[in-house]
Amino acid sequence: MTQHPDARTYLFALTDAGGTVPPEVGVVRRVVDRGHRVTALADETMAAKVERAGAAVRIWRRPFAEFRDWELRTPMAQARGMAEHMLIGPAPGMADDTGAAIDEIRPDLVVTSGFALGAMIAAESRGIPFDLLMPNVYVLPADGMPPFGAGLAPARGLAGRTRDRAMRAASARLIDRYTLRELNGLRARHDLDPIPTLWAQMQHARMQLVLTSAAFDFPATLPPNARYVGPILDDPDWADAARWTPPEGDAPLVLVAMSSTFQDHVGCLQRIADALGELRVRGLMTTGPAVEPGAIRAPANVAVVASAPHREVLPLADLVVTHGGHGTVVKALAAGLPLVILHHGRDQADNAVRVTERHAGVAVPRTASSVRIARAVAEVLGDASYRESSGGLGRAIMRDVAASPLLDELERIPVRRRSAPSPSRDADADEHQPDDDDDGADRRPQRRAAHHRPAEDAEPLEGPDQPDQADDRARDDEGRPPLHSL
């Protein structure tokens, strides 16, 4: 591999959040292929994938604990679980591991997953810029963007804008209740000023790199350091070598692609298989690593396999039935295919509403009966306007993929001088200040003032209490709010 003439050194700090792994590993692969030096801190579950992408790999000393999100019934339980398992719990160890790696390899840029708060703090404390990867739609608060996690369409009129402000303030207060004191305590230990809300830590990024298409997301006023850089359409490596054969015949081919992580969705898969069995279609169901194919009783017209490369199946398919994960949704649209979505939580309701608002598919509850699922599949297959809408949206997505500024944005950082490491961390931070080649933004760490306000006095975002949104929030069939509606 040819080294880039201005080769830079990158440190990636990655966490395994299931569907985020293929796009984030795809970013690593592209930076390596460009000829740069890449080291990645990663969970052990994704280490082999990152190594195959060409990076030097180090394992987090404290991996993420299993987050059994499907068992949580209330927003409070979800917020507490996210804080313990994904946000605050791993943060101190991540800060230590990232700080040690920074001191050793002296990267020009740190690139982090959204949950790697400790890595962000370690970079900020050493004066090293960090970029934030968002392999979803834009998830942080922004004018015009519906609150993340609720599956809402864009606000209309004063009532809609009031709804968004109230929900953003309420969700910030909720997640800050379980994260902010500990987060500011960790910042204090790294000589950084307190911040008013969890989201502010992510907003300190040099760049927020949104790994989706602006054509797919809703329009909004994003901060100057946010960029849509197009989706990464790579298949996960566990699907690359999979052997698959669709059922025989010439009936429409329906690809069923559900979550790659367990979301208590075996019953949903069975009802989908039963629904396809009642239609004149051919079904190909991929269960992914979380479910054994033998757990599904398949009718004669449905083949059930552990995996199949989407790049091979999608050109032959007519429709995709899915849980609504960002990767599957965007790949289906990029292939011009309409969707039937049974969202389970996480970001899935948000992806679903972006599909339905563009008439590129329909959404049905995840506990829908096989009869209702069959009716939805028949509706989308029988109405050519869904295919026309998904085709137009797919062409726009592919234009964004072809014109992706991802690597240009990552390379828009000056190369650090490779002198011997300074014994003083502050001196090392002073060496790396923006020069004429930088983007002009002051990303220096916010050092603690001599009389700074104690972390426990930091105030969360203000706003009215959350109103009852039962009529327009995307809830599941059991009346639970969507997972990660924070």
Side-chain angles (χ1 to χ4, degrees):
M1 182 183 301
T2 303
Q3 182 167 297
H4 193 283
D6 295 315
R8 292 159 173 81
T9 300
Y10 294 86
L11 176 63
F12 280 75
L14 305 178
T15 60
D16 186 345
T20 63
V21 172
E24 293 188 353
V25 172
V27 175
V28 171
R29 182 179 298 109
R30 284 155 176 77
V31 175
V32 170
D33 289 348
R34 189 85 150 196
H36 297 293
R37 299 175 290 267
V38 178
T39 298
L41 286 156
D43 289 318
E44 189 170 7
T45 53
M46 60 187 299
K49 304 175 181 66
V50 177
E51 190 170 32
R52 284 192 290 271
V57 180
R58 303 181 182 201
I59 308 298
W60 296 115
R61 286 182 290 177
R62 177 180 173 178
F64 274 23
E66 182 184 13
F67 183 31
R68 301 171 66 88
D69 50 17
W70 64 90
E71 296 179 346
L72 304 178
R73 301 284 175 169
T74 67
M76 188 173 296
Q78 293 171 10
R80 183 169 54 247
M82 284 184 64
E84 292 174 356
H85 291 85
M86 306 182 77
L87 294 168
I88 295 302
M94 284 187 171
D96 292 342
D97 291 350
T98 305
I102 289 173
D103 293 343
E104 180 180 340
I105 71 172
R106 299 172 57 78
D108 301 299
L109 181 68
V110 174
V111 184
T112 80
S113 297
F115 292 119
L117 298 177
M120 302 175 201
I121 288 172
E124 192 177 349
S125 72
R126 285 161 169 77
I128 307 298
F130 72 90
D131 283 5
L132 174 66
L133 297 178
M134 284 189 194
N136 314 88
V137 297
Y138 191 76
V139 302
L140 298 179
D143 288 342
M145 189 70 73
F148 179 72
L152 294 173
R156 294 176 176 85
L158 177 61
R161 292 191 295 272
T162 301
R163 173 205 73 182
D164 285 359
R165 285 195 298 271
M167 291 183 68
R168 278 196 291 265
S171 65
R173 286 197 299 270
L174 178 59
I175 192 64
D176 285 347
R177 175 178 178 178
Y178 297 105
T179 61
L180 190 59
R181 184 184 298 272
E182 292 80 2
L183 182 63
N184 276 329
L186 183 59
R187 288 179 59 84
R189 291 197 293 275
H190 288 264
D191 297 324
L192 296 173
D193 280 341
I195 52 179
T197 183
L198 168 70
W199 309 133
Q201 181 60 66
M202 302 172 186
Q203 290 161 340
H204 284 186
R206 181 194 74 105
M207 297 297 299
Q208 301 169 10
L209 301 174
V210 190
L211 300 175
T212 195
S213 168
F216 176 68
D217 208 355
F218 288 138
T221 303
L222 303 189
N225 63 330
R227 296 282 189 281
Y228 289 103
V229 296
I232 302 291
L233 302 179
D234 300 357
D235 284 328
D237 62 351
W238 45 262
D240 277 349
R243 300 179 62 181
W244 64 279
T245 303
E248 295 182 356
D250 58 0
L253 178 62
V254 177
L255 171 64
V256 181
M258 302 293 279
S259 180
S260 59
T261 59
F262 189 74
Q263 288 192 259
D264 197 20
H265 59 286
V266 176
C268 184
L269 283 170
Q270 185 62 60
R271 291 190 300 275
I272 294 170
D274 294 342
L276 298 183
E278 299 298 320
L279 299 173
R280 186 185 173 278
V281 299
R282 296 174 298 146
L284 177 67
M285 176 177 287
T286 59
T287 61
V291 177
E292 288 293 330
I296 308 301
R297 302 181 307 276
N301 63 332
V302 177
V304 182
V305 297
S307 61
H310 285 173
R311 65 179 180 276
E312 297 177 10
V313 180
L314 291 173
L316 306 177
D318 298 277
L319 171 70
V320 175
V321 180
T322 179
H323 65 306
H326 179 265
T328 303
V329 167
V330 173
K331 289 177 190 176
L333 292 172
L337 299 181
L339 299 110
V340 172
I341 300 177
L342 298 91
H343 53 82
H344 283 52
R346 303 176 185 172
D347 64 339
Q348 296 153 25
D350 297 292
N351 298 324
V353 73
R354 284 157 175 79
V355 170
T356 58
E357 284 289 297
R358 276 62 176 265
H359 193 65
V362 300
V364 296
R366 67 182 182 89
T367 55
S369 67
S370 60
V371 172
R372 185 170 181 182
I373 296 169
R375 189 163 59 240
V377 170
E379 175 190 342
V380 176
L381 286 174
D383 186 342
S385 66
Y386 287 107
R387 186 69 180 252
E388 292 170 3
S389 297
S390 61
L393 183 52
R395 287 188 290 275
I397 290 171
M398 289 306 296
R399 285 194 293 270
D400 285 347
V401 171
S404 172
L406 170 65
L407 292 174
D408 290 340
E409 292 294 350
L410 287 171
E411 290 174 343
R412 198 162 57 86
I413 193 76
V415 180
R416 300 181 77 208
R417 295 190 294 274
R418 299 295 160 193
S419 57
S422 167
S424 166
R425 189 169 68 193
D426 287 348
D428 181 55
D430 290 340
E431 175 188 316
H432 184 70
Q433 300 300 334
D435 62 14
D436 293 338
D437 295 326
D438 210 339
D439 60 4
D442 186 357
R443 306 293 177 199
R444 289 175 293 180
Q446 298 186 30
R447 296 284 181 182
R448 297 172 66 189
H451 303 288
H452 70 282
R453 183 176 59 187
E456 57 267 28
D457 293 335
E459 297 176 358
L461 289 177
E462 296 181 355
D465 290 338
Q466 183 176 0
D468 182 7
Q469 298 292 335
D471 290 337
D472 60 1
R473 288 193 64 175
R475 294 178 177 266
D476 70 19
D477 300 333
E478 300 169 13
R480 297 181 305 196
L483 189 66
H484 297 2
S485 55
L486 305 173

